[in-house]
Amino acid sequence: MSTIREAGAGAGASKVMPLPARAAANTPLPLEHGIARNPGMKLDLGFLESVRSVNRSALERRVVTLTKRRSIKADNQAAWLLRAIACMDLTTLNSNDTDERVRRLCAKAINPLRRDIVEGLGISGETIRPAAVCVYHPFVATAVDAIRGTGIHVAAVSTAFPHGLAPLSTRLQEIEASVKDGADEIDVVIPRGLVYGAKWRELFNEIVAMRAACGEAHLKVILGTGDLATLRNVMLASMVAMMAGADFIKTSTGKESVNATLPVGLAMVRAIRAYFEETGYLIGFKPAGGISTAKVSLDWLVLMKEELGRPWLEPDLFRFGASSLLTDIERQLEHHLTGHYSANHRHAMA
């Protein structure tokens, strides 16, 4: 339990807000499932100033201890890898994407593991699938049709992905078009220049407008952390995005030269914790770009468990942005069953 000061309340106002009860992964949740959607708050430059100090050395030391002192083996490792699948946004964002490629990706999302692996693990009665498929806007309708009735979400990258430099009106129209086609999650990218110039009001206003354009679709704000130069910029951009109403904050587009790294992720999840302590709202986190091995996915899951706790191991608060990660997880699960590694081509992908 944490003491929470309500956003907009007087300085003396406080209340105790426990973390909500959680359902199992991939279990359909009722609308009243206990996680109130982040409404955002007024841009509070004083609060922003209070979180601007970031100790890079301390974050890096913490990351080292997290990855070294947790050893997950055997059946426990298999269970954690199944959790990684449930928290995955299975993604294709290539210049050569086609409707058929997206249909194949959706087919893989519906049946992410080969039947013999499912039977070997004894999970035939379970439904373990990626939380969402993530595609460019032209393929949203194709994906919606392909996964209809499965409970898998459709996420669309939007707002002039990956650079975010189109006029705001154009970016908002793209969001509205994706929502109209059926996307229920929108991954937007911020113009990084607003962060370099510390134009927090302008960044805040843009994200507020994006949130409004999303309507009921959830908003995942991509910071492009590899382009932000400093962890201070990462922390401040994270906080502004949450103040503006982001449902998730996301590291990268996957197109930067440096994508998701654990020190950056640690800075972002501590921003999430600070926002929760300030407002009582739970914000999701999505690392993306360069997460391609089962071992790395375990490092991220450990980070979430240790820093934010068990609630952030559920797909409504944690996602991997991944394209090749599922293949390696499937290989590791086969190794767990047989003691042998198989070739990548034995694990069909799009």
Side-chain angles (χ1 to χ4, degrees), residues 23-28 82-83 85-87 127-131 151-152 314-315:
N26 288 303
T27 299
L82 292 174
R83 172 63 44 169
I85 294 174
C87 292
T127 300
I128 297 175
R129 292 170 172 162
I152 300 170
E314 298 288 346

Side-chain angles (χ1 to χ4, degrees), residues 90 92 99-112 130 133-135 139-140 142-148 150 152-154 350:
L90 195 58
T92 182
D99 287 319
E100 188 54 38
R101 181 184 179 92
V102 169
R103 290 189 189 98
R104 291 198 303 270
L105 185 81
C106 293
K108 184 64 174 178
I110 294 170
N111 294 291
V133 293
C134 184
V135 297
F139 306 106
V140 168
T142 298
V144 168
D145 183 64
I147 56 85
R148 195 181 307 279
T150 65
I152 300 170
H153 294 283
V154 173

Side-chain angles (χ1 to χ4, degrees), residues 111-170:
N111 294 291
L113 298 173
R114 288 203 329 261
R115 183 178 298 277
D116 60 307
I117 295 176
V118 170
E119 292 172 352
L121 292 172
I123 56 173
S124 297
E126 304 294 330
T127 300
I128 297 175
R129 292 170 172 162
V133 293
C134 184
V135 297
Y136 280 118
H137 166 70
F139 306 106
V140 168
T142 298
V144 168
D145 183 64
I147 56 85
R148 195 181 307 279
T150 65
I152 300 170
H153 294 283
V154 173
V157 294
S158 196
T159 61
F161 180 94
H163 50 76
L165 295 178
L168 179 59
S169 59
T170 301

Side-chain angles (χ1 to χ4, degrees), residues 57-282:
S57 296
L59 288 182
E60 290 175 343
R61 288 196 300 272
R62 171 63 171 158
V63 164
V64 169
T65 63
L66 282 173
T67 55
K68 283 189 174 180
R69 68 189 179 90
R70 284 285 187 183
S71 181
I72 305 171
K73 302 294 185 184
D75 288 347
N76 288 331
Q77 183 181 90
W80 279 66
L81 292 178
L82 292 174
R83 172 63 44 169
I85 294 174
C87 292
M88 190 180 299
D89 282 2
L90 195 58
T91 302
T92 182
L93 297 172
N94 301 309
S95 59
N96 61 348
D97 282 344
T98 63
D99 287 319
E100 188 54 38
R101 181 184 179 92
V102 169
R103 290 189 189 98
R104 291 198 303 270
L105 185 81
C106 293
K108 184 64 174 178
I110 294 170
N111 294 291
L113 298 173
R114 288 203 329 261
R115 183 178 298 277
D116 60 307
I117 295 176
V118 170
E119 292 172 352
L121 292 172
I123 56 173
S124 297
E126 304 294 330
T127 300
I128 297 175
R129 292 170 172 162
V133 293
C134 184
V135 297
Y136 280 118
H137 166 70
F139 306 106
V140 168
T142 298
V144 168
D145 183 64
I147 56 85
R148 195 181 307 279
T150 65
I152 300 170
H153 294 283
V154 173
V157 294
S158 196
T159 61
F161 180 94
H163 50 76
L165 295 178
L168 179 59
S169 59
T170 301
R171 288 179 276 149
L172 296 179
Q173 288 169 5
E174 187 179 3
I175 292 173
E176 292 166 354
S178 292
V179 172
K180 184 177 180 180
D181 279 358
D184 49 11
E185 298 178 1
I186 304 292
D187 290 29
V188 305
V189 60
I190 64 169
R192 279 66 122 191
L194 297 181
V195 178
Y196 300 149
K199 297 179 180 178
W200 306 122
R201 173 65 63 182
E202 186 175 346
L203 178 61
F204 177 85
N205 289 341
E206 285 203 359
I207 297 173
V208 167
M210 293 173 189
R211 164 65 186 271
C214 285
E216 294 302 312
H218 278 216
L219 175 67
K220 306 208 287 285
V221 177
I222 308 169
L223 304 182
T225 54
D227 292 339
L228 294 187
T230 68
L231 289 178
R232 174 178 293 176
N233 282 343
V234 170
M235 173 68 79
L236 296 176
S238 297
M239 196 60 69
V240 171
M242 291 185 286
M243 288 179 178
D247 297 294
F248 270 72
I249 53 175
K250 176 178 171 181
T251 60
S252 318
T253 65
K255 308 297 184 182
E256 296 92 14
S257 58
V258 177
N259 292 290
T261 67
L262 288 169
V264 160
L266 182 53
M268 292 176 71
V269 300
R270 288 189 172 176
I272 288 172
R273 189 166 66 194
Y275 187 82
F276 171 75
E277 290 169 351
E278 181 72 9
T279 68
Y281 288 101
L282 288 72

